[in-house]
């Protein structure tokens, strides 16, 4: 069972939040607000925050820009993970990923099933890695953002979490680029 090892020191990571929406602005971005609040409450650093339209190339360009920024360790997007024609966030993420974390979507579905039952099948939440940066695409509802953060990301982004976590391997994510 997972646990926090209190003998280890907490390490804050720098997280950017991207809301994907054709209609929201910062004043209406409840899902982004949920993530920003939880990031701060956990002791992490909000590195940047933006809202972008549901345009695949614009989303991918923003993800790439943040992945190239050494001041950003993690990108969490919210919105555009559904099944409608305008939902292109997952495709944009996959355009950027070097490696996809298949289990992230699976675990998110398990967490969602406990809250919303079989409606969880409509989510295409995903996670991956690019250029030494973690990328996560969450649904656009505040509830889904709470569930993903509280049940998965808060634990995996805590260096003290055992038996393992994302932070401890962060320095090794792009080690393949250093090999000769």
């Amino acid at each position: 069972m997972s646990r926090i090892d209190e003998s280890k020191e907490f390490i804050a990571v720098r997280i950017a939040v991207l809301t994907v929406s054709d209609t929201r602005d910062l004043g209406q971005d409840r899902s982004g607000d949920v993530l920003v609040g939880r990031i701060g409450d956990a002791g992490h650093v909000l590195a940047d925050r933006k809202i972008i339209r549901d345009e695949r190339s614009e989303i991918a360009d923003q993800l790439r820009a943040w992945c190239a920024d050494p001041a950003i360790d993690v990108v969490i997007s919210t919105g555009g993970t559904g099944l409608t024609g305008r939902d292109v966030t997952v495709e944009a993420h996959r355009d950027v990923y070097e490696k996809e974390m298949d289990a992230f979507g699976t675990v998110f579905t398990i967490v969602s099933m406990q809250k919303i039952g079989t409606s969880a099948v409509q989510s295409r939440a995903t996670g991956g890695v690019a250029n030494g940066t973690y990328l996560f695409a969450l649904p656009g509802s505040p509830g889904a953002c709470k569930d993903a953060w509280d049940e998965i990301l808060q634990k995996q982004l805590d260096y003290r979490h055992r038996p393992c976590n994302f932070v401890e391997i962060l320095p090794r994510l792009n080690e393949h680029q250093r090999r000769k």
Side-chain angles (χ1 to χ4, degrees), residues 31-52:
S31 297
D33 290 343
V34 163
L35 291 169
V36 168
R38 279 168 160 71
I39 288 164
D41 290 347
H44 296 296
V45 176
L46 178 65
D48 202 354
R49 180 179 182 182
K50 292 190 184 317
I51 297 179
I52 290 187

Side-chain angles (χ1 to χ4, degrees), residues 20 54 78-82 86-91 124 138-140:
V20 177
D54 290 280
T78 175
T81 63
R86 294 290 294 153
D87 292 326
V88 295
T89 302
V90 173
E91 289 75 18
R124 298 184 305 137
L138 308 179

Side-chain angles (χ1 to χ4, degrees), residues 15-87:
I15 304 172
V17 173
L18 177 65
T19 298
V20 177
S21 176
D22 287 333
T23 59
R24 290 187 215 155
D25 59 30
L26 282 177
Q28 305 162 321
D29 184 16
R30 293 186 9 210
S31 297
D33 290 343
V34 163
L35 291 169
V36 168
R38 279 168 160 71
I39 288 164
D41 290 347
H44 296 296
V45 176
L46 178 65
D48 202 354
R49 180 179 182 182
K50 292 190 184 317
I51 297 179
I52 290 187
R53 297 177 309 133
D54 290 280
E55 295 293 337
R56 183 173 175 170
S57 63
E58 291 179 30
I59 298 164
D61 287 347
Q62 183 60 62
L63 296 175
R64 285 187 190 99
W66 278 340
C67 288
D69 185 341
I72 295 176
D73 302 309
V74 178
V75 176
I76 304 173
S77 69
T78 175
T81 63
L83 300 172
T84 70
R86 294 290 294 153
D87 292 326

Side-chain angles (χ1 to χ4, degrees), residues 85-107:
R86 294 290 294 153
D87 292 326
V88 295
T89 302
V90 173
E91 289 75 18
H93 271 252
R94 288 182 174 145
D95 290 344
V96 176
Y97 289 164
E98 293 167 4
K99 295 183 180 185
E100 186 166 0
M101 280 185 263
D102 297 326
F104 179 81
T106 302
V107 172

